[in-house]
Amino acid sequence: MWAPQLHKGLSPLQLCRIMRPDDANIMGNVHGGIILKMIEEAGCIVSTRHCNTQDGDRCLALLVRVEKTEFLSPVFIGEVVHITAEITYTSKHSLEVQVIVMAENILTGGKRLASKAALWYVPCSLQNVSNIMEVPSIQYVSAEQEEEGRKRYEAQKIERMETKARVEEVMPPLPNSEDATKEPHTVGFSQSSLIHLVGPLDCILHDYVHGGVTMKLMDEVAGIVAARHCNTNIVTASVDAINFHRKIKKGCVVTVTGRLTFVSNRSMELEVLVDAASLVEKEMKKYRAVSAFFTFISLDKDNMPLPVPPLKIKGEEEQRRFEEGNARYLQAKAKRLADNRQQ
Ligand code: COA
């Protein structure tokens, strides 16, 4: 299990709070989006604090990437979530923050690992958000630790170049045919959208929305799609790497759309796309701000995975996305098996 690595002169940030009924679904399972928002808040505090230890403009660290995040065990109402966040690598303009999430049952004292995450932040000047500031470097305990960090930095740089094109992909409209949207277990049947006006509550030190807020909305839409497909209690199992290429300003309207891409025997993969448009700045065109793949599982009343109804595929586009989803599913499964064997 990853544990805080104790970089010289840096202490990990601790954040904890009890889970309330409005953090969970009707079955008492805490939403993955709530955990993602807490993870992001911890990352934002630790990286903004670090970047302001130097002279010059004050800055806010903006979330630009979250590595694939697994939700290892469900968290319930009344449990206490403990987040530990630590800066583990700095490049010239970005920082990596690693986070561990523990869930504590305060009645029994039992603690378990709920999730682990790695996030990347970029400091932007509060005077002018287009100015990306330099990041004060951290001191590593050993040369190996620094080298490992550099490898993670290089690997994500390559991966995000490869996925940039997909972010630009245009969302097809909902199927026109009445029949297609009414036929259960088709992509069109469960596809769902949520519209949100970015207001002051979504932004803290400047006029741009926090990544945690966006991830929470994305998880909410993904959950609606998954529940519409299988009509059961559903939970987030994992979120693939997310890149935040564009900022979303206060006053923008965001449309978050989710659709099923792939279904295995007991899991569902959903693609969630976030489009933003300004209500007042007419010259600003609607743009794709973020996209990500979420995996959900359906649970019975004892929190055991249930079979998922097969997805009825219509047309070549849906078939292509299904096959790509299948490839991601097989790859993730092989990686989990390899990781388990190593432990
Ligand atoms: N993941 C990790 N690092 C990233 C990244 C990503 N998705 N995008 C940029 N970076 C890093 C780069 O590696 C670079 O650091 P380096 O010089 O040390 O290697 C640094 O950011 C600047 O990269 P650059 O290419 O000059 O800038 P950019 O054109 O990618 O713009 C932002 C960077 C932050 C201005 C832009 O990506 C942005 O505005 N993103 C949205 C951030 C946000 O609003 N988050 C919340 C969304 S809801």
Side-chain angles (χ1 to χ4, degrees):
M1 187 176 89
W2 179 80
Q5 298 171 30
L6 298 177
H7 288 77
K8 285 184 194 160
L10 283 178
S11 45
L13 179 103
Q14 309 274 354
L15 199 141
C16 83
R17 97 169 158 76
I18 195 159
M19 294 293 106
R20 299 179 305 243
D22 61 340
D23 294 320
N25 65 17
I26 49 171
M27 305 302 286
N29 291 110
V30 171
H31 297 293
I34 294 289
I35 305 287
L36 287 169
K37 191 161 177 269
M38 289 181 72
I39 288 174
E40 201 277 320
E41 272 168 16
C44 176
I45 296 171
V46 79
S47 43
T48 300
R49 191 182 271 161
H50 177 71
C51 293
N52 283 289
T53 54
Q54 61 190 345
D55 294 336
D57 284 3
R58 297 301 86 197
C59 61
L60 180 70
L62 280 182
L63 179 70
V64 285
R65 179 176 168 90
V66 183
E67 299 297 348
K68 183 176 170 100
T69 307
E70 312 253 9
F71 295 91
L72 305 166
S73 62
V75 181
F76 299 97
I77 295 170
E79 291 192 313
V80 171
V81 165
H82 297 256
I83 310 258
T84 308
E86 188 192 17
I87 298 169
T88 43
Y89 184 75
T90 50
S91 70
K92 191 168 183 203
H93 299 109
S94 70
L95 329 71
E96 181 199 51
V97 178
Q98 291 199 23
V99 178
I100 49 173
V101 183
M102 303 293 293
E104 178 194 3
N105 181 327
I106 48 172
L107 305 179
T108 62
K111 265 191 179 182
R112 63 191 186 285
L113 180 66
S115 188
K116 287 188 286 185
L119 303 94
W120 292 87
Y121 287 85
V122 170
C124 294
S125 158
L126 286 173
Q127 256 102 55
N128 174 3
V129 283
S130 309
N131 273 357
I132 297 175
M133 316 266 297
E134 287 199 12
V135 176
S137 50
I138 57 168
Q139 275 189 294
Y140 301 89
V141 171
S142 63
E144 291 76 37
Q145 196 184 46
E146 181 170 11
E147 180 56 16
E148 286 301 313
R150 197 190 57 75
K151 280 189 193 150
R152 294 192 297 275
Y153 164 74
E154 296 294 347
Q156 56 88 8
K157 230 172 162 163
I158 294 169
E159 196 270 349
R160 84 181 123 95
M161 294 301 145
E162 288 167 0
T163 52
K164 205 160 183 178
R166 190 172 53 75
V167 175
E168 311 296 330
E169 195 187 311
V170 176
M171 185 73 179
L174 274 168
N176 283 329
S177 142
E178 278 283 289
D179 289 344
T181 50
K182 281 187 182 153
E183 188 182 342
H185 307 137
T186 57
V187 175
F189 183 82
S190 54
Q191 178 167 317
S192 308
S193 293
L194 180 156
I195 295 174
H196 176 78
L197 175 65
V198 176
L201 282 182
D202 303 319
C203 316
I204 301 177
L205 283 171
H206 63 24
D207 286 348
Y208 294 89
V209 67
H210 278 255
V213 172
T214 309
M215 288 193 287
K216 182 171 172 285
L217 290 174
M218 294 168 86
D219 182 71
E220 220 165 287
V221 171
I224 293 169
V225 175
R228 279 190 171 148
H229 182 72
C230 52
N231 292 116
T232 52
N233 179 31
I234 45 85
V235 286
T236 319
S238 68
V239 185
D240 279 8
I242 312 180
N243 285 302
F244 295 88
H245 293 296
R246 309 259 315 247
K247 298 180 192 63
I248 306 175
K249 202 173 179 184
K250 188 159 76 185
C252 276
V253 170
V254 290
T255 307
V256 188
T257 304
R259 62 181 171 201
L260 273 164
T261 42
F262 168 76
V263 160
S264 70
N265 288 339
R266 293 186 302 167
S267 74
M268 291 162 272
E269 185 198 67
L270 307 104
E271 184 174 34
V272 182
L273 305 123
V274 180
D275 293 332
S278 172
L279 271 184
V280 283
E281 292 173 38
K282 288 211 178 78
E283 63 283 5
M284 190 204 280
K285 282 212 182 97
K286 186 173 180 170
Y287 61 96
R288 172 74 31 88
V290 199
S291 77
F293 291 103
F294 284 68
T295 299
F296 273 71
I297 49 175
S298 160
L299 296 178
D300 68 13
K301 57 179 179 18
D302 300 317
N303 289 311
M304 295 308 287
L306 281 170
V308 170
L311 186 61
K312 290 182 188 160
I313 296 293
K314 308 260 175 190
E316 280 174 22
E317 265 300 294
E318 289 185 11
Q319 185 61 37
R320 176 184 64 81
R321 286 200 289 267
F322 187 89
E323 280 159 20
E324 288 171 0
N326 190 20
R328 280 187 293 271
Y329 163 78
L330 292 173
Q331 203 179 10
K333 201 158 187 171
K335 187 173 180 304
R336 272 202 307 278
L337 281 175
D339 289 349
N340 286 346
R341 254 185 248 121
Q342 267 176 12
Q343 278 166 13

